[in-house]
Amino acid sequence: MRKPIIAGNWKMNNTAQETKNLLNELIPLVKDAKCEVVVCVPYTDLYAASEILKGTNIGLGAQNVHWADKGAYTGEISADMLLELGVKYVIIGHSERRQYFGETDETVNKRVIQALKKGLIPIVCIGETESERENGLTDEVNRRQLTIGLKDISAEDIQKIVIAYEPVWAIGTGKTATDQDADETIGKIREILGKMFSKDIAQGLRIQYGGSMNAKNAQGLMSMPEIDGGLIGGASLKAQDFSIIVKAADNF
Ligand code: PGA
């Protein structure tokens, strides 16, 4: 019922030229995918990517968006700038933004509202740190990030978003949550969303897993009933590996 979505988060990797090479390799490998395939590339690669991806089944995403329409925000990028380049998706609230660039649940909320207003599909990242997990705070942290991050979003708009559950301790570390752990936590996230909106809406929302997902562990994670796709960092930089993850999603 929920169409799986596999999104690559390239982070700060690949020049425009490297983007062309990687996408040219990737396009034929995923052309028959049944799931939704997205690549979220650095801003400076968006133009090159949008040209190459025209007419393909790969959607284009950015890694952030500002909450204002335009103005004196040096270094920031607006939704209109992204839309003109054919961007459809935008990652919001990635843990690296929260950890290194002062992103908070409140700024996440402002960005999500702006993305929805402009017709971009937000991929909203949430997840606990290692010490929060050790202290049994996983569900509480996810609840707080969802409650504030998705504040004032209408029942209609919420159905357009994608949630990415990314335990911070699993990102780029090679440590993945077990299939069962990830599934259980995502099930709880769905429960929280059910209380915030409605059970039916929560059942329809796509929730990805992210954090060291790769060609080897994708099949197991994708086989879990609550997991509707993945947000892939490191493994999205290799066309072969990323396409294997896409194929894993196609099996479910
Ligand atoms: P990773 O990154 O797959 O390299 O762990 C995932 C992410 O941060 O979105």
Side-chain angles (χ1 to χ4, degrees), residues 9 11 94 96 166 170-173 210-213 231-234:
N9 173 13
K11 309 193 179 185
H94 190 277
E96 285 148 19
E166 299 205 304
I171 295 179
T173 57
S212 298
M213 192 160 165
L231 185 57
I232 324 295

Side-chain angles (χ1 to χ4, degrees), residues 18-48:
E18 288 163 345
T19 295
K20 288 182 196 167
N21 298 342
L22 178 51
L23 290 179
N24 278 327
E25 203 184 333
L26 181 65
I27 289 166
L29 295 176
V30 300
K31 70 177 188 346
D32 298 320
K34 295 191 286 292
C35 67
E36 218 163 297
V37 183
V38 179
V39 289
C40 299
V41 309
Y43 294 133
T44 49
D45 299 340
L46 285 171
Y47 180 74

Side-chain angles (χ1 to χ4, degrees), residues 1-247:
M1 189 187 74
R2 298 186 295 259
K3 187 177 183 184
I5 172 167
I6 299 293
N9 173 13
W10 287 10
K11 309 193 179 185
M12 196 176 73
N13 292 290
N14 291 327
T15 64
Q17 188 54 52
E18 288 163 345
T19 295
K20 288 182 196 167
N21 298 342
L22 178 51
L23 290 179
N24 278 327
E25 203 184 333
L26 181 65
I27 289 166
L29 295 176
V30 300
K31 70 177 188 346
D32 298 320
K34 295 191 286 292
C35 67
E36 218 163 297
V37 183
V38 179
V39 289
C40 299
V41 309
Y43 294 133
T44 49
D45 299 340
L46 285 171
Y47 180 74
S50 72
E51 291 291 303
I52 292 181
L53 294 180
K54 267 184 200 142
T56 73
N57 60 330
I58 304 176
L60 183 58
Q63 298 173 14
N64 205 356
V65 63
H66 198 262
W67 54 80
D69 285 350
K70 58 167 138 177
Y73 299 101
T74 303
E76 290 293 321
I77 298 285
S78 76
D80 286 337
M81 294 169 187
L82 300 178
L83 288 164
E84 199 176 282
L85 290 175
V87 172
K88 289 206 173 70
Y89 304 82
V90 61
I91 297 172
I92 297 177
H94 190 277
S95 64
E96 285 148 19
R97 300 291 323 166
R98 296 176 189 260
Q99 197 178 344
Y100 306 127
F101 303 102
E103 190 83 59
T104 64
D105 295 328
E106 286 77 14
T107 56
V108 167
N109 182 239
K110 291 195 306 182
R111 294 183 205 273
V112 174
I113 288 173
Q114 176 72 351
L116 288 166
K117 183 179 111 185
K118 293 287 184 174
L120 289 163
I121 299 174
I123 300 176
V124 182
C125 301
I126 60 167
E128 81 287 358
T129 61
E130 188 149 36
S131 70
E132 287 164 343
R133 164 158 289 229
E134 280 163 4
N135 288 305
L137 296 172
T138 299
D139 297 335
E140 199 177 316
V141 168
N142 286 331
R143 180 175 296 109
R144 189 203 69 225
Q145 293 185 350
L146 289 168
T147 310
I148 304 173
L150 302 179
K151 192 167 164 274
D152 296 331
I153 310 288
S154 69
E156 193 192 330
D157 273 348
I158 196 69
Q159 301 182 50
K160 299 172 191 153
I161 77 165
V162 176
I163 305 278
Y165 166 59
E166 299 205 304
V168 179
W169 47 270
I171 295 179
T173 57
K175 290 190 223 168
T176 335
T178 63
D179 302 346
Q180 288 72 20
D181 271 353
D183 194 61
E184 198 180 304
T185 307
I186 290 179
K188 296 216 177 99
I189 289 168
R190 209 178 289 289
E191 260 174 54
I192 296 165
L193 291 163
K195 291 201 179 104
M196 287 173 65
F197 298 95
S198 76
K199 217 173 158 200
D200 274 1
I201 287 176
Q203 278 308 320
L205 282 180
R206 293 183 296 177
I207 310 180
Q208 299 172 311
Y209 169 78
S212 298
M213 192 160 165
N214 59 37
K216 288 208 177 77
N217 60 27
Q219 188 80 13
L221 286 159
M222 285 309 308
S223 72
M224 303 310 287
E226 295 287 352
I227 302 179
D228 306 316
L231 185 57
I232 324 295
S236 72
L237 300 173
K238 293 186 199 125
Q240 280 291 348
D241 287 22
F242 191 62
S243 72
I244 291 170
I245 299 171
V246 167
K247 288 199 179 81

